[in-house]
Amino acid sequence: MLLRQHTIRAGSLALAMTLALTGCGLDRTDKSDGASKDSTDTVGAAPGQPEPIGVAIASRDIQVSEGGNLYPIKVELYPLRRDKGFVNLTIRLTRTDDAGSPGRWQIASAFQGDTISLAFSGATLIDRKNRKRHLVARTGEPDAKPGQVKYLASSDLQSVFVQPGQSVDLYAMFGAPPDDVTAVDVVVPRVPVFENVPLG
């Protein structure tokens, strides 16, 4: 039977979108030249996570080192979805080591990239057609200090731990590229790039 990992909801996705759409912070776009275990798994969602839609369209196997332990992680990418001027990104992380492997993996800052947030805020979308890099949307004042920024993404990841065989879902929201952009590259810290991902 599929168990659910209990997580704390930091706030609803609808509220976050309302704040963003009313001018409390939109995505930041920078120019850039660059371009499983099955039914025994526990699947949970990091705070504020909407339910994933569809099935995974790509995956990567990575290893994350933390506290002297090396954790094998499967990263699954779900279809990108346009929604009222935003693009929703969802990934699923699954520890693929056997039960009894050492320790709980604390996600914490693993995917914050250059931000300071303990959130899934380091992901970016690369629009090759227009040579633009889309950062995770945020709320708050444009000149807010790094620790004061609120990202429209899974957050409070210092409270999210993953046991062997367990999974957790992370999400991030971006300002949508123009309608004629039909594919982007998805860049997630520590994960090989997902290239040419369809964007409906």
Side-chain angles (χ1 to χ4, degrees):
M1 171 178 291
L2 197 70
L3 300 176
R4 273 236 174 252
Q5 193 176 29
H6 296 286
T7 57
I8 301 170
R9 297 273 180 181
S12 73
L13 182 60
L15 175 60
M17 289 186 67
T18 300
L19 290 173
L21 293 173
T22 55
C24 294
L26 299 175
D27 82 8
R28 297 174 293 145
T29 303
D30 299 329
K31 292 183 180 179
S32 174
D33 293 338
S36 96
K37 308 275 184 185
D38 49 34
S39 61
T40 59
D41 285 350
T42 298
V43 178
Q49 165 69 27
E51 291 297 321
I53 294 178
V55 296
I57 58 173
S59 67
R60 301 283 187 268
D61 291 310
I62 65 171
Q63 291 185 325
V64 177
S65 177
E66 181 196 339
N69 293 319
L70 193 62
Y71 302 107
I73 307 293
K74 181 177 183 180
V75 182
E76 295 176 285
L77 175 68
Y78 283 77
L80 298 177
R81 296 180 287 123
R82 290 183 185 265
D83 185 8
K84 299 179 181 177
F86 288 87
V87 171
N88 298 326
L89 165 67
T90 301
I91 66 168
R92 173 168 291 169
L93 308 172
T94 303
R95 275 187 65 177
T96 56
D97 44 348
D98 296 329
S101 297
R104 302 180 301 167
W105 173 43
Q106 181 184 28
I107 297 179
S109 62
F111 302 107
Q112 72 179 14
D114 294 331
T115 68
I116 301 174
S117 61
L118 293 171
F120 184 49
S121 51
T124 58
L125 302 182
I126 305 298
D127 170 4
R128 294 191 190 189
K129 182 175 183 178
N130 296 298
R131 300 179 68 184
K132 289 187 177 180
R133 179 169 62 105
H134 295 264
L135 307 182
V136 175
R138 52 180 278 182
T139 63
E141 298 299 325
D143 58 350
K145 295 180 181 178
Q148 299 173 334
V149 174
K150 300 295 183 186
Y151 293 93
L152 302 189
S154 297
S155 58
D156 297 323
L157 297 183
Q158 74 280 5
S159 302
V160 180
F161 297 83
V162 187
Q163 301 279 6
Q166 290 184 336
S167 299
V168 66
D169 298 335
L170 302 180
Y171 85 97
M173 295 176 63
F174 304 82
D179 290 344
D180 63 347
V181 175
T182 58
V184 293
D185 292 346
V186 176
V187 181
V188 176
R190 301 186 178 207
V191 180
V193 176
F194 295 98
E195 295 184 343
N196 201 34
V197 177
L199 177 58

